[in-house]
Amino acid sequence: MAYYTVGTIVNTHGIKGEVRVVAITDFPESRFAVGATLYAFQKGQTQPVKLTVASERPHKNFYLLSFEGKPSINDVEIYKQSTLKVTDDQLQNDQLQPGEYYYHQIVGLNVVTEDGDELGTIKEILSPGANDVWVVGRPGKDDLLLPKIDQVIKDVDLDRHQVTVELMEGLE
């Protein structure tokens, strides 16, 4: 079964079993909704722990979650620094607008120019600020950093496993 990261538990909050979660998802309202199932991957553990969200509320730059059957700080302390994930069948493709993709759909795609020159493969996506940056691994060369803007990313074809780009001046 494939799992996809939606957040990280960074700390506990109060004594009533709440945890602070940094969201790594564009859909926190559905991922952290009451009744949602999350899987906590703890450092040093081989199997994830299945958790059901009992309560959820935004707080500053975090989401405060509590889980069913975990009513105190003592019950959730062990989950600090755990990564929260969902299964692939929990992904909701219908929420994506045209031109939007999950990271796992983009990483691994081949990158070609509009002229057909092969550049490499997308190996990572960075989110430094205003727009994502796609990191293209190139054999024998330094990585190429492509901003996810319409002037650079011309076409994403998941069926052909390919991204077509226009290299603006200064990118290479």
Side-chain angles (χ1 to χ4, degrees):
M1 181 178 299
Y3 294 93
Y4 300 99
T5 302
V6 295
T8 302
I9 297 175
V10 293
N11 209 343
T12 57
H13 183 83
I15 61 171
K16 296 186 177 182
E18 285 185 312
V19 293
R20 286 185 191 188
V21 175
V22 173
I24 309 171
T25 177
D26 287 336
F27 311 111
E29 299 81 19
S30 61
R31 300 288 182 240
F32 305 139
V34 173
T37 300
L38 298 170
Y39 296 87
F41 284 76
Q42 300 166 274
K43 290 181 180 14
Q45 300 292 324
T46 57
Q47 291 295 319
V49 176
K50 183 178 178 180
L51 299 169
T52 303
V53 177
S55 71
E56 161 281 321
R57 61 189 171 111
H59 178 71
K60 298 184 180 176
N61 294 328
F62 303 98
Y63 283 86
L64 299 180
L65 305 181
S66 67
F67 303 109
E68 290 181 3
K70 313 279 186 209
S72 83
I73 188 173
N74 297 330
D75 298 320
V76 295
E77 186 80 30
I78 61 170
Y79 299 119
K80 285 192 335 187
Q81 304 308 312
S82 292
T83 303
L84 294 175
K85 299 186 179 198
V86 296
T87 59
D88 51 358
D89 63 336
Q90 291 174 285
L91 295 181
Q92 298 170 355
N93 288 319
D94 57 339
Q95 291 184 337
L96 296 178
Q97 301 299 316
E100 293 181 339
Y101 306 94
Y102 290 114
Y103 282 11
H104 73 271
Q105 292 176 302
I106 298 300
V107 173
L109 295 183
N110 299 319
V111 180
V112 298
T113 64
E114 291 179 305
D115 297 330
D117 297 332
E118 293 187 22
L119 297 177
T121 304
I122 298 173
K123 66 178 197 176
E124 179 181 10
I125 298 177
L126 306 174
S127 298
N131 50 271
D132 287 348
V133 175
W134 295 0
V135 181
V136 179
R138 303 185 296 177
K141 295 183 180 179
D142 290 339
D143 290 344
L144 175 64
L145 303 178
L146 297 175
K148 171 58 174 87
I149 56 175
D150 293 339
Q151 294 90 334
V152 174
I153 308 298
K154 295 300 184 181
D155 182 53
V156 176
D157 190 337
L158 296 178
D159 294 331
R160 292 180 51 210
H161 203 69
Q162 179 174 291
V163 175
T164 304
V165 300
E166 178 183 334
L167 292 179
M168 297 172 61
E169 190 175 322
L171 283 180
E172 232 186 319

